[in-house]
Amino acid sequence: MLDMQLIQTRGFRNTVQNGQVVGFQFNVRLTYYRGIFLSQLRPQKVVVDGEVFPRESVIWEFDGKEYTFAQMRREGNVHWCPETPAILKIRKPGGLSQGYHEITTGYRFSSSYIPPVLQRTIDTDEPDPIYEILGFGQQHDTRRLLLV
């Protein structure tokens, strides 16, 4: 079962490759009931405890396949369903320390319901107050998660 918030409590952990901690990961959910194709998705940066990770450095995983920001922009045949969380993977040698961490991230997505004039700013990396007012097409969240 998924949390109501965008950033999920399950799945937050350090990632290990060849016995070395190489980064961390956490899950986010899609809040749009219809789902979207990856080409519609515009991820925002990830901020952890004040450290900024640009969207270009974040790997998104859907159903076991990994995508960069550039790859998602071209992927019109992969659909993100609202019942399946995406895994965001961030490279950070040594990962994160045990304890609480404040995570902020979000995304926008294009939709036929949003007039083209309002979608001009969809590619920016910051939340847009217009989308906040609309309550659609943008999700942004901050959560404190515990890494054990």
Side-chain angles (χ1 to χ4, degrees):
M1 182 173 216
L2 298 176
D3 296 342
M4 289 296 294
Q5 292 93 338
L6 172 75
I7 299 171
Q8 303 289 290
T9 54
R10 292 182 185 169
F12 179 48
R13 65 177 182 263
N14 281 324
T15 54
V16 178
Q17 277 184 339
N18 301 323
Q20 300 288 331
V21 177
V22 295
F24 63 94
Q25 68 182 45
F26 63 96
N27 296 347
V28 296
R29 72 183 281 260
L30 178 63
T31 58
Y32 183 45
Y33 74 100
R34 287 186 166 187
I36 61 172
F37 290 97
L38 297 193
S39 59
Q40 295 175 264
L41 183 63
R42 298 299 186 272
Q44 295 171 358
K45 65 187 173 196
V46 173
V47 181
V48 180
D49 301 329
E51 184 175 356
V52 177
F53 300 92
R55 63 183 172 180
E56 292 81 9
S57 69
V58 178
I59 300 297
W60 287 63
E61 181 180 313
F62 301 90
D63 295 322
K65 187 160 184 202
E66 296 180 347
Y67 300 89
T68 64
F69 171 64
Q71 289 169 325
M72 286 191 293
R73 292 185 65 125
R74 297 186 307 267
E75 194 58 71
N77 292 323
V78 177
H79 193 256
W80 183 15
C81 298
E83 302 87 20
T84 306
I87 301 169
L88 276 65
K89 298 179 176 182
I90 295 97
R91 291 195 63 82
K92 178 178 171 61
L96 298 173
S97 61
Q98 288 186 346
Y100 284 97
H101 296 276
E102 183 174 272
I103 300 174
T104 301
T105 195
Y107 56 79
R108 289 195 191 134
F109 57 89
S110 63
S111 172
S112 60
Y113 301 140
I114 301 174
V117 69
L118 294 177
Q119 294 191 47
R120 285 189 296 215
T121 62
I122 197 168
D123 284 320
T124 62
D125 196 22
E126 299 290 332
D128 187 322
I130 296 295
Y131 281 90
E132 294 290 337
I133 292 168
L134 291 174
F136 180 78
Q138 172 178 278
Q139 297 299 319
H140 193 256
D141 193 15
T142 299
R143 285 193 87 177
R144 272 179 60 97
L145 298 181
L146 178 62
L147 185 71
V148 291

